[in-house]
């Protein structure tokens, strides 16, 4: 596991952007963390790293958003879902065509691909501080993390 | 022109019969809110299945209440997007099928334009241009400038959470029932100003909004246990209302708008209605609550002028799910 601390929203976004630059179509990123932990901020950074210029907003209500970029960015949020059936919201239609970021992945249990990159965001001790943890348990995660300095 | 309009972009299955884009002959809404409230959120599988189950009875009821038969209709309109794909497809394809079988003109409607056009369904004279429109709901917080009848220029919108989404999430933090918007408004009724001050993201010089910082601040205030849920609900609502009404008033003034049009589910919020009417210097038009939340009458209101101008959606054109004002 790799732990990173950011001091404000902008740093959280920048960290996401750095990760985004190393991603390729087919990658799935799972973002866990409570309300306000910075998941959408981090996802906005990933989008920028993928070359998306659109304004990325929270997908809570619409469940999934799609943004054009150098690599297409799919942004899903399972917050409103209970016992989510991922086939139903068309989550897997997206994965092959671009990078998929999923907020509140817990709602869908363990039905994600083995190679999904798992991250957890939480509140630090100071108001704007956030703790970001990368769980490394797949080869793809090791490869991504080896290609960038996220410590 | 008598139009049958269909809406199924999210949690509501709705049908309406509208004459000339302004007169409601019927408007039927089958809501899934109660159903989803049992689960505390949406179950997509259930949502699609419910739309399928409801769509034909809802259309039949709309025709019955309008005292007309399918043969009296002159066109069919259905929401094309944005929304949840599985949900949109049910209403959109049903609309296409009726149009095809009865050889009627068909038009796919942008749900966002529909919300704004709900303002044409009231008895007052038609809105004056230029107008500033605010669409504020669970999924949207968009400010749109209408230079004329058919121009929608998006000026800005939320950079993170939609206003209605913030209401829902903070409602959940406070342990209030789903959906959070009406629940917070009700809780705040018995509240008043306390020592709690929540932030307001003004983002000066832009037509943008941000509600995620407010949401996080509300979370911290819940954790502190200094304030009651009523006090937090009150201050939270005041913060959202303050920013929305303040920015709308300023921007309407800057653009010399002759009228302000409000739309979307959050427009049912009583405090927002009061505050907008008191701060904006030109007339503020807000549809009654039944036309603010998702409904099919607004889809008919948006479709009629377009159909009259000869616009049609070919039957091979698919739904869209992205938040885009330029798709018509």
């Amino acid at each position: 596991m790799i732990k990173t601390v950011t001091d404000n929203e902008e740093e959280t976004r920048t960290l996401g952007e750095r990760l985004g630059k190393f991603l390729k179509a087919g990658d799935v990123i799972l973002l866990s963390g409570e309300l306000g932990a910075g998941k959408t901020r981090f996802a906005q950074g990933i989008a920028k790293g993928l070359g998306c210029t659109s304004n990325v907003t929270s997908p809570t209500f619409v469940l999934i958003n799609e943004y054009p970029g150098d690599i297409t960015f799919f942004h899903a949020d399972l917050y409103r879902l209970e016992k989510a059936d991922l086939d139903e919201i068309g989550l897997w239609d997206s994965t092959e065509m671009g990078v998929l970021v999923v907020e509140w992945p817990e709602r869908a249990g363990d039905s994600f691909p083995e190679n999904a990159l798992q991250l957890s965001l939480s509140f630090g001790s100071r108001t704007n501080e956030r703790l970001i943890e990368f769980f490394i348990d797949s080869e793809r995660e090791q490869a991504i993390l080896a290609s960038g300095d996220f410590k | 022109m008598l139009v049958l309009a269909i809406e199924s972009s999210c949690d509501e299955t709705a049908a309406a019969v509208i004459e000339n884009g302004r007169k409601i002959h019927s408007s039927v809404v089958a809501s899934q809110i109660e159903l989803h409230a049992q689960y505390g959120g949406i179950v997509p599988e259930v949502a699609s299945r419910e739309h399928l189950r409801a769509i034909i009875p809802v259309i039949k009821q709309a025709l019955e209440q309008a005292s007309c038969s399918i043969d009296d209709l002159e066109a069919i309109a259905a929401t094309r997007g944005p929304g949840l794909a599985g949900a949109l497809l049910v209403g959109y394809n049903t609309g296409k099928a009726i149009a095809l079988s009865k050889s009627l003109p068909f038009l796919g409607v942008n749900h966002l334009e529909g919300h704004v056009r709900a303002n044409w369904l009231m008895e007052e004279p038609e809105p004056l241009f230029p107008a500033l429109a605010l669409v504020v709901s669970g999924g949207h917080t968009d400010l749109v400038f209408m230079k004329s009848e058919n121009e929608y220029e998006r000026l800005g919108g939320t950079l993170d959470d939609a206003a209605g989404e913030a209401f829902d999430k903070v409602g959940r933090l406070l342990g209030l029932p789903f959906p959070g918007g009406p629940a917070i408004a009700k809780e705040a009724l018995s509240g008043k100003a306390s020592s709690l001050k929540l932030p307001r993201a003004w983002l000066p010089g832009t037509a943008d909004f941000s509600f995620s910082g407010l949401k996080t601040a509300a979370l911290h205030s819940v954790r502190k246990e200094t304030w009651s849920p009523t006090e937090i609900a009150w201050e939270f609502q005041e913060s959202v209302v303050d920013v929305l009404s303040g920015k709308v008033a300023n921007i309407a003034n800057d653009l010399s708008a002759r009228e302000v049009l409000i739309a979307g589910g959050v427009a049912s919020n009583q405090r927002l209605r009061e505050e907008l009417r008191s701060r904006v210097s030109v007339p503020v038009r807000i549809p009654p609550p039944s036309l603010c939340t998702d409904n099919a009458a607004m889809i008919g209101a948006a479709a009629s002028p377009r159909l009259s101008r000869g616009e049609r959606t070919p039957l091979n054109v698919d739904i869209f799910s992205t938040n885009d004002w330029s798709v018509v």
Side-chain angles (χ1 to χ4, degrees):
Chain A
M1 187 169 64
I2 295 178
K3 283 188 185 180
T4 303
V5 174
T6 59
D7 283 333
N8 54 54
E9 286 184 19
E10 205 38 54
E11 281 188 26
T12 303
R13 201 194 311 251
T14 306
L15 187 72
E17 185 180 347
R18 270 160 57 199
L19 174 62
K21 287 187 173 144
F22 292 102
L23 298 177
K24 59 175 205 249
D27 280 332
V28 177
I29 316 291
L30 309 179
L31 294 183
S32 301
E34 62 183 315
L35 282 179
K39 297 181 295 300
T40 299
R41 283 286 172 265
F42 192 82
Q44 287 174 338
I46 291 179
K48 201 172 171 203
L50 296 172
C52 298
T53 51
S54 326
N55 170 33
V56 170
T57 57
S58 166
T60 298
F61 196 80
V62 293
L63 304 180
I64 185 159
N65 274 324
E66 176 184 341
Y67 302 91
D70 298 332
I71 298 175
T72 308
F73 174 56
F74 294 94
H75 189 194
D77 185 336
L78 310 184
Y79 176 80
R80 294 209 305 152
L81 306 185
E82 200 72 20
K83 292 186 272 181
D85 180 337
L86 301 179
D87 293 335
E88 281 292 331
I89 62 169
L91 214 52
W92 305 132
D93 305 349
S94 342
T95 46
E96 293 297 302
M97 297 182 292
V99 165
L100 171 67
V101 170
V102 183
E103 299 188 27
W104 297 95
E106 305 76 15
R107 297 279 200 271
D110 50 7
S111 54
F112 289 99
E114 275 185 15
N115 261 340
L117 190 69
Q118 292 184 52
L119 276 86
S120 143
L121 290 87
S122 53
F123 290 99
S125 48
R126 282 166 290 134
T127 313
N128 292 319
E129 187 182 273
R130 295 292 186 275
L131 195 63
I132 295 153
E133 294 168 282
F134 296 72
F135 300 95
I136 313 157
D137 48 20
S138 74
E139 279 178 32
R140 179 66 190 134
E141 283 171 308
Q142 284 173 15
I144 292 168
L145 294 173
S147 59
D149 178 17
F150 295 103
K151 287 173 203 170
Chain B
M1 177 186 280
L2 208 58
V3 176
L4 170 69
I6 301 168
E7 150 71 32
S8 70
S9 64
C10 194
D11 305 355
E12 272 84 22
T13 320
V17 176
I18 302 298
E19 188 182 342
N20 297 330
R22 298 218 60 194
K23 186 166 191 288
I24 303 175
H25 286 264
S26 66
S27 178
V28 177
V29 180
S31 176
Q32 299 183 18
I33 286 183
E34 275 187 32
L35 182 75
H36 294 309
Q38 298 167 17
Y39 298 98
I42 282 199
V43 187
E45 190 187 315
V46 175
S48 288
R49 206 164 58 218
E50 283 302 304
H51 280 302
L52 266 177
R53 203 182 55 80
I55 189 82
I56 299 298
V58 163
I59 290 173
K60 277 190 174 157
Q61 204 182 334
L63 291 170
E64 225 164 75
Q65 285 182 11
S67 307
C68 75
S69 86
I70 218 162
D71 296 312
D72 300 322
L73 300 171
E74 289 162 276
I76 311 289
T79 305
R80 199 185 139 207
L84 201 54
L88 278 170
L89 280 170
V90 175
Y92 189 66
N93 284 341
T94 305
K96 277 182 180 177
I98 298 173
L100 183 67
S101 65
K102 291 287 166 187
S103 302
L104 291 171
F106 175 76
L107 192 78
V109 175
N110 188 318
H111 181 83
L112 299 167
E113 182 185 9
H115 272 304
V116 174
R117 295 304 290 205
N119 284 289
W120 271 252
L121 291 167
M122 295 181 286
E123 288 187 0
E124 294 88 12
E126 291 198 12
L128 301 171
F129 299 102
L132 178 69
L134 171 72
V135 179
V136 61
S137 66
H140 308 280
T141 309
D142 279 4
L143 262 177
V144 176
F145 186 55
M146 292 185 73
K147 209 184 281 175
S148 71
E149 163 90 21
N150 196 30
E151 289 175 275
Y152 298 90
E153 184 200 343
R154 187 178 181 276
L155 301 171
T158 184
L159 299 178
D160 37 59
D161 296 2
E165 174 186 341
F167 266 101
D168 275 352
K169 286 183 171 169
V170 172
R172 205 185 260 210
L173 287 177
L174 293 173
L176 300 174
F178 173 90
I184 287 185
K186 196 177 158 200
E187 189 69 30
L189 272 182
S190 53
K192 56 179 171 39
S194 65
S195 59
L196 175 65
K197 292 286 169 279
L198 290 171
R200 276 116 172 105
W202 289 104
L203 309 179
T206 73
D208 291 329
F209 300 94
S210 167
F211 296 107
S212 74
L214 171 62
K215 172 189 71 188
T216 309
L219 171 74
H220 289 310
S221 66
V222 172
R223 295 253 162 97
K224 262 195 168 162
E225 296 180 349
T226 307
W227 301 282
S228 69
T230 313
E231 286 169 327
I232 298 171
W234 188 89
E235 172 63 10
F236 168 80
Q237 176 171 263
E238 287 306 304
S239 169
V240 176
V241 167
D242 190 11
V243 172
L244 286 174
S245 55
K247 289 200 80 151
V248 166
N250 285 342
I251 293 169
N253 196 39
D254 291 348
L255 296 172
S256 308
R258 294 174 70 193
E259 219 171 293
V260 166
L261 311 174
I262 310 294
V266 180
S268 325
N269 182 286
Q270 203 52 43
R271 272 296 291 141
L272 180 63
R273 295 166 95 95
E274 285 168 17
E275 214 50 33
L276 281 163
R277 293 213 157 101
S278 99
R279 293 197 207 179
V280 177
S281 56
V282 293
V284 178
R285 204 180 282 242
I286 310 173
S290 63
L291 293 173
C292 287
T293 46
D294 288 354
N295 65 86
M298 68 186 202
I299 301 303
S304 295
R306 291 184 178 276
L307 286 160
S308 300
R309 287 196 296 268
E311 287 184 32
R312 304 286 183 266
T313 304
L315 295 183
N316 61 356
V317 171
D318 205 359
I319 55 156
F320 68 95
S321 48
T322 49
N323 183 13
D324 191 347
W325 281 87
S326 63
V327 183
V328 290

